[in-house]
């Protein structure tokens, strides 16, 4: 039975799990780690992992959502800067492409990975993206 964690521990463990998932995504995509390795790296038992995420795919989706948030932040920041509409749009598109180039995890996202996530996650989670 997983140990009970207080709120501060839960937040710290969740952050370690997310960082572990981001690292795995950057090293090789969805297959670059297992629940057991992710849990061990976060300092919890494998069974405790499921108190945080229902599956490895759910954790990896949360990690991808973090990448997406940074991607959107860059885009919005660039489009909100000064200049003509054309200049702002060009700057925003450049920043978006730059973010894709700089984020190694995005190199491992392909149709197979997207299909795997779609099969493993609730439809409403996928529809949100």
């Amino acid at each position: 039975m997983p140990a009970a964690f207080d709120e501060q521990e839960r937040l710290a463990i969740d952050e370690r799990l997310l960082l572990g998932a981001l690292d795995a995504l950057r090293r090789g995509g969805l297959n670059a780690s297992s629940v057991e390795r992710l849990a061990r790296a976060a300092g919890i038992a494998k069974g405790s992992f499921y108190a945080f995420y229902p599956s490895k795919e759910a954790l990896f989706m949360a990690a991808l959502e973090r990448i997406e948030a940074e991607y959107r932040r860059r885009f919005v920041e660039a489009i909100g800067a000064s200049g003509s509409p054309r200049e702002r749009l060009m700057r925003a598109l450049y920043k978006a492409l730059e973010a894709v180039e700089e984020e190694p995890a995005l190199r491992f996202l392909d149709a197979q990975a997207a299909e795997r996530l779609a099969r493993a996650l609730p439809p409403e989670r996928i529809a949100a993206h």
Side-chain angles (χ1 to χ4, degrees), residues 9-84:
E9 289 173 313
R10 287 191 67 75
L11 291 171
I13 292 166
D14 188 54
E15 182 65 15
R16 291 193 304 264
L17 286 168
L18 280 167
L19 291 175
L22 284 166
D23 179 61
L25 283 169
R26 289 170 177 147
R27 285 185 292 106
L30 295 173
N31 294 324
S33 196
S34 65
V35 168
E36 185 175 354
R37 280 195 294 210
L38 291 163
R40 191 176 335 116
I44 60 173
K46 180 180 176 182
S48 294
F49 173 91
Y50 298 100
F52 292 86
Y53 294 94
S55 66
K56 181 174 88 167
E57 290 80 9
L59 169 60
F60 278 52
M61 187 66 179
L64 289 169
E65 287 167 342
R66 184 175 280 192
I67 291 169
E68 179 187 25
E70 174 59 19
Y71 181 86
R72 285 178 184 270
R73 185 197 64 75
R74 284 182 179 203
F75 188 86
V76 168
E77 182 180 286
I79 209 158
S82 63
S84 72

Side-chain angles (χ1 to χ4, degrees), residues 94-110:
Y94 178 78
K95 285 292 185 185
L97 292 172
E98 187 178 72
V100 169
E101 182 69 26
E102 292 173 1
E103 179 50 69
L106 298 177
R107 293 186 199 124
F108 296 102
L109 289 180
D110 57 13

